[in-house]
Amino acid sequence: MGRRSALIIVDVQNDFCEGGSLAVAGGAAVAQAISAHVDEHGGDYDAVVATADWHVDPGDHFSTAPDFVDTWPVHCVAEGGGAAFHPNLTPALRAVQAVFRKGEHAAAYSGFEGRSDDAEQASLATWLTDRGISRVDVVGIATDHCVRATALDAQREGFETTVLLGLTAGVARQTTEAALTQLEQAGVRLSGQPVVAD
Ligand SMILES: [Zn+2]
């Protein structure tokens, strides 16, 4: 058995795409590009999983006067339409074997803080390790927040981690560039060019 790999699709939810409460420019296009990637390359992965921001009562993660660093407008309320995956991701969802929901009662930027939505209720690290996965590609929204945190945790957990930048969207140029520097310093591989709005 060779080195087994997984694709991790981070937070491609309506609230993080155009029209959502915390919209990232390019989000809908990234959702479509991820579906195309899964269509073309899904068979190359031994597993495909997704993460979802899923808030019940996340405390001061929500604010009516958000600073967009530690506090944010209300977004991805559990079971709400804003928490649903973007329609452009629908084709890719057929390949998704488990969804890892995070942030029920506190801020959670990394998919590795989530639990699977199946009977296992496994952490992402356990789920991947149980399936012999040693290598992951990370894609999704936002490059400078949840993609960054998920990729850093993946590398820290011992997975050989690559961020496919063409399949990510960032909130802002400055924070995205800072995130890419931090990822490289942590040993995460970066592939392709980042998509940033400004
Ligand atoms: Zn959140």
Side-chain angles (χ1 to χ4, degrees):
M1 187 171 73
R3 293 179 315 146
R4 292 169 63 84
S5 67
L7 177 68
I8 303 174
I9 302 169
V10 176
D11 294 13
V12 182
Q13 295 165 269
N14 285 324
D15 271 345
F16 297 136
C17 296
E18 289 84 348
S21 68
L22 194 37
V24 177
V30 158
Q32 191 165 3
I34 291 171
S35 285
H37 179 74
V38 169
D39 186 47
E40 288 172 37
H41 303 290
D44 299 344
Y45 296 101
D46 299 289
V48 179
V49 300
T51 73
D53 217 21
W54 197 257
H55 295 307
V56 177
D57 177 16
D60 61 9
H61 184 56
F62 285 172
S63 173
T64 52
D67 64 9
F68 294 91
V69 177
D70 297 311
T71 61
W72 306 89
V74 172
H75 61 276
C76 296
V77 172
E79 313 293 349
F85 289 118
H86 191 275
N88 290 355
L89 193 70
T90 302
L93 292 178
R94 284 195 295 270
V96 168
Q97 292 160 260
V99 177
F100 294 80
R101 292 173 175 160
K102 58 188 174 61
E104 282 89 340
H105 300 289
Y109 297 95
S110 167
F112 284 82
E113 296 179 71
R115 293 276 162 177
S116 63
D117 62 347
D118 56 16
E120 275 184 63
Q121 298 257 302
S123 72
L124 182 50
T126 298
W127 195 96
L128 294 171
T129 302
D130 283 353
R131 286 158 181 79
I133 305 294
S134 62
R135 199 163 59 77
V136 298
D137 284 349
V138 181
V139 301
I141 308 170
T143 324
D144 31 357
H145 298 283
C146 292
V147 169
R148 178 186 69 88
T150 300
L152 286 172
D153 272 356
Q155 185 76 17
R156 199 177 291 130
E157 293 278 358
F159 300 99
E160 184 186 321
T161 305
T162 303
V163 176
L164 305 181
L165 293 174
L167 301 179
T168 68
V171 172
R173 182 170 297 280
Q174 196 177 7
T175 46
T176 297
E177 284 174 357
L180 300 186
T181 300
Q182 189 183 10
L183 288 164
E184 278 187 317
Q185 286 171 349
V188 173
R189 295 168 189 215
L190 304 177
S191 174
Q193 292 299 314
V195 179
V196 192
D198 58 359

